[in-house]
Amino acid sequence: SYLESARLFGLATSRMQFLDALYEWLCGRPLKAAEALHNTARLNSKDERSWFHLKAFFLISAGEIERALETINLGLSKTEFLDAEAFLLRSQIYFFQKKYNLALQDVARCIELKPDNGWAWFHKGIVYAYLNKPEEACFCWSKAKDAGIQKVETYIRYQCF
């Protein structure tokens, strides 16, 4: 989904600015990537949504969890940004912060908006596993598998009996 956001963002914005940000990220400099992305023009609401997602992703990669959360919250504060991917990303940020109940709330919102999002089900299973709720985790991982997430098979094999 981040690659899809990147693709959409890249199509609509200045190619050089986007490529500069992507280059910095690929070179292992996610903070510089976020800064480069910050300087790009945001042309319409779809571009802007992708911009928020990608900038938050770069900030997470740089270990700048609080700044990533601020970025996603800013995007979510705008009505047109109430999309499943933003809630999933914020859920992952809350997970990194060990705010598991908030992580569950946001991933539930993501699933409500896009029930077939296999990565959301996978992430929800991870949160439940950390909360020592194996039955709930296994249910979520089974939904992720049904949605085509192959990575989850390892979790099911070793965690679900």
Side-chain angles (χ1 to χ4, degrees), residues 2 60 69 72 76 84-110 120 123-124 127:
Y2 299 116
I60 290 169
L69 182 60
I72 284 297
L76 283 169
E85 294 301 322
F87 283 107
L88 177 57
L89 187 55
R90 190 168 71 176
S91 176
Q92 292 167 337
I93 292 169
Y94 285 143
F95 179 79
F96 289 138
Q97 294 177 323
K98 298 182 181 358
K99 297 177 181 177
Y100 302 122
N101 289 331
L102 291 174
L104 283 174
Q105 287 174 14
D106 271 3
V107 77
R109 182 75 169 121
C110 172
H123 175 66
K124 190 174 184 180
V127 177

Side-chain angles (χ1 to χ4, degrees), residues 118 121-122 140-150 152-153 156:
W121 285 108
F122 175 74
C140 293
W141 290 334
S142 138
K143 297 287 275 184
K145 183 179 177 182
D146 292 345
I149 307 300
Q150 294 177 352
V152 77
E153 291 178 16
I156 292 170

Side-chain angles (χ1 to χ4, degrees), residues 2-12 15 18 46 50 54:
Y2 299 116
L3 291 178
E4 177 63 14
S5 292
R7 186 187 67 75
L8 290 173
F9 190 82
L11 289 174
R15 292 257 185 216
F18 172 74
K46 194 170 192 176
S50 297
L54 203 53

Side-chain angles (χ1 to χ4, degrees), residues 67-85:
R67 286 181 59 198
L69 182 60
E70 289 171 15
T71 299
I72 284 297
N73 282 338
L74 181 59
L76 283 169
S77 70
K78 302 179 180 203
T79 326
E80 67 268 25
F81 294 110
L82 293 178
D83 70 311
E85 294 301 322

